[in-house]
Amino acid sequence: MRRSLAGVALAVTSMVALSFLIPLAALVMSLVKEQGVTAAEQRAAALAPVLTLTTDPAALRESAASLDAAEHLVVHLPGAGALGSSRAPAALLERAQRGRESISQEIPDGWICLQPVVLPGDQVAVIENFVPEAELTRGVKESWAVMLFLAVGLVGGSVLVADRLGAKVVRSSKRLARASRALGEGDLDTRVEPMGPRELRDAGVAFNAMAHRMTELLAVERELVADLSHRLRTPLTALHLASERMAGTPESARVEAAVGELEAELQAIIAAARTPLAVGPMGQGLLGTDPPAGRPKAGAGTSGPRCEAADVVRRRTAFWTVLAEQQNRVCSLDLTQEPTAVGLSDDDIAAVVDALIGNVFRHTAPGTPLAVRVARTAQAVELVVEDGGPGIPDPDRALSRGSSTGSTGLGLDIAQRAAGATGGSMRIARGPLGGAHITVTFALAAPAPSGRRPRRPRTARRRTAWPLSRRALRG
């Protein structure tokens, strides 16, 4: 913007300066020339009275020298020739003598003035005054230099003033842009000091109001999440009492383990919701937005959280065995032996696995096969969850919260945001088992600072038959 304003000022001031400078330069040159010619005519006219009194060559030379020290004043006497060095063309001289007319005309070397004087006896003498070219342009170059200096000063001053004004605008705009980027990256305490033109000051005030309102809304939302999670403790207490009454039965240990896991998850949610507002481990967990342009994705070389995706998938699938024992689901687990470090925490990967596997149990009939696979590519880690159910007829609609029939859409949204936080993606298709085939791609994390290679999971492939009861699922 500063360059644009300076360029506009330079162009406008230059055009204004040229529009005055060119005519003024021509006027100066014309005035100097006119003054030289007028002075020559006046000298010739001043010598004319002397000729009416005497035609003595010595007296005429003395008078001409007193009027023109440069000896450009010449007297042409009839029958006696010229008293001095004549520059007048013969045709002009003869014309002045015979026609008895004053002649002022430009010649190749300068300007010539011829003044005829009628002497006694009806004779005509001619006074010649030659003005050299240097006399006609004396002082013109100096005047032009002064005018050019003033024009350059005017242009430079206008550009400097425009640059200073543009600097204030640019400085205010840059501060507002930096604050906007910081707010987009999760710094909810960022504010700007309104400065610059009135419009930018109004924009700064509006930005501060927006940031304050955003902080308030997020705080209210987090408090609501914490309150709702806390309300779930009442049915959990009832489940604890029920499990105590079931003590001694084969189902007691499983129910107690499931209730304990659920209570731990609720406690983690409440603790996270009660902490001060900040960007979560996934980079956009609280704001729900992608990282701004130019900022590295989480796990793409940053010093953020990291974990072994294969280890987390193995632990979470083992947890789901508690819920799968009553439905006779055949599930295959295929884990790569290569390192699978990604730029997310264990909780983030666990949330993705729970969401995808939970959707399979929730939306497919008992006995539907299930397959979980973790594969490693050159630049990414792929988590694949597929089933033999009816599939997902409209993947785009399934990714929208609350738009799917009988589903909130949160599970797939969690997986998609986790993949996007690392620079990856998520695809929904129909797999070999006949149902949904969901592939979540996570970008590989940068090598650990210590230079050690991440620990490789030992499990390569495992097949397990998991039954699942609806009562356990509801619990």
Side-chain angles (χ1 to χ4, degrees), residues 17 22 25 282 335 441:
I22 294 176
M282 288 168 55
L335 301 177
T441 304

Side-chain angles (χ1 to χ4, degrees), residues 38-379:
T38 302
E41 292 175 349
Q42 290 175 350
R43 288 192 295 270
L47 188 60
V50 178
L51 278 173
T52 60
L53 297 177
T54 180
T55 57
D56 181 41
L60 292 174
R61 285 192 178 94
E62 183 179 356
S63 298
S66 64
L67 293 173
D68 187 5
E71 298 183 353
H72 292 149
L73 196 60
V74 180
V75 179
H76 297 270
L77 295 174
L83 301 179
S85 178
S86 176
R87 298 290 185 91
L92 290 179
L93 187 61
E94 183 179 359
R95 174 183 165 189
Q97 288 177 341
R98 291 185 178 182
R100 299 181 181 184
E101 61 174 322
S102 298
I103 298 176
S104 182
Q105 184 174 326
E106 186 177 6
I107 62 176
D109 296 331
W111 196 275
I112 194 72
C113 294
L114 299 178
Q115 180 66 43
V117 179
V118 180
L119 301 177
D122 200 27
Q123 293 181 334
V124 178
V126 178
I127 301 174
E128 172 191 338
N129 196 357
F130 173 71
V131 183
E133 186 71 27
E135 291 290 333
L136 297 176
T137 59
R138 177 179 297 175
V140 173
K141 293 183 178 179
E142 290 78 3
S143 300
W144 284 1
V146 172
M147 290 187 295
L148 181 62
F149 176 77
L150 292 177
V152 171
L154 177 62
V155 173
S158 65
V159 171
L160 181 61
V161 171
D163 181 73
R164 291 297 89 198
L165 294 176
K168 292 183 179 180
V169 176
V170 170
R171 192 180 305 115
S172 179
S173 301
K174 285 184 176 180
R175 289 187 178 182
L176 187 58
R178 285 196 298 267
S180 300
R181 285 194 293 269
L183 183 64
E185 292 173 1
D187 185 5
L188 301 180
D189 294 329
T190 184
R191 298 293 185 272
V192 296
E193 180 182 355
M195 60 175 295
R198 185 183 66 182
E199 292 78 6
L200 287 178
R201 291 198 301 269
D202 293 343
V205 172
F207 174 84
N208 291 338
M210 178 194 67
H212 181 70
R213 181 59 176 164
M214 181 183 298
T215 304
E216 289 182 345
L217 292 176
L218 287 175
V220 170
E221 182 180 356
R222 289 165 63 83
E223 286 294 331
L224 180 61
V225 171
D227 292 343
L228 292 176
S229 301
H230 193 273
R231 290 168 59 184
L232 293 177
R233 287 186 168 181
T234 299
L236 279 178
T237 303
L239 288 176
H240 272 300
L241 296 176
S243 64
E244 291 177 359
R245 289 195 299 269
M246 295 170 57
T249 64
E251 298 292 334
S252 175
R254 296 191 182 98
V255 172
E256 186 65 27
V259 171
E261 288 282 352
L262 184 56
E263 186 172 13
E265 293 291 337
L266 287 177
Q267 183 62 35
I269 293 174
I270 295 173
R274 297 293 187 184
T275 55
L277 287 172
V279 176
M282 288 168 55
Q284 295 78 37
L286 296 178
L287 299 182
T289 57
D290 291 333
R295 179 187 176 193
K297 301 284 188 178
T302 63
S303 57
R306 58 186 291 131
C307 70
E308 279 291 327
D311 287 348
V312 178
V313 173
R314 174 168 44 82
R315 291 196 302 268
R316 296 313 299 167
T317 50
F319 164 76
W320 282 93
T321 59
V322 178
L323 304 176
E325 292 180 351
Q326 301 299 323
Q327 282 200 346
N328 297 320
R329 292 181 182 268
V330 176
C331 176
S332 63
L333 176 62
D334 188 354
L335 301 177
T336 179
Q337 294 184 346
E338 297 185 69
T340 56
V342 297
L344 295 174
S345 66
D346 290 9
D347 292 339
D348 295 329
I349 297 296
V352 173
V353 176
D354 290 343
L356 297 180
I357 298 180
N359 280 345
V360 174
F361 289 132
R362 191 173 297 111
H363 300 291
T364 61
T368 302
L370 170 68
V372 180
R373 184 174 74 255
V374 176
R376 162 75 184 269
T377 63
Q379 301 293 333

Side-chain angles (χ1 to χ4, degrees), residues 3-71:
R3 289 185 179 181
S4 300
L5 292 177
V8 170
L10 176 63
V12 172
T13 314
S14 298
M15 289 188 293
V16 173
L18 288 177
S19 64
F20 282 96
L21 188 62
I22 294 176
L24 188 59
L27 178 62
V28 169
M29 189 171 186
S30 176
L31 289 176
V32 171
K33 184 177 182 179
E34 183 178 352
Q35 289 177 357
V37 172
T38 302
E41 292 175 349
Q42 290 175 350
R43 288 192 295 270
L47 188 60
V50 178
L51 278 173
T52 60
L53 297 177
T54 180
T55 57
D56 181 41
L60 292 174
R61 285 192 178 94
E62 183 179 356
S63 298
S66 64
L67 293 173
D68 187 5
E71 298 183 353

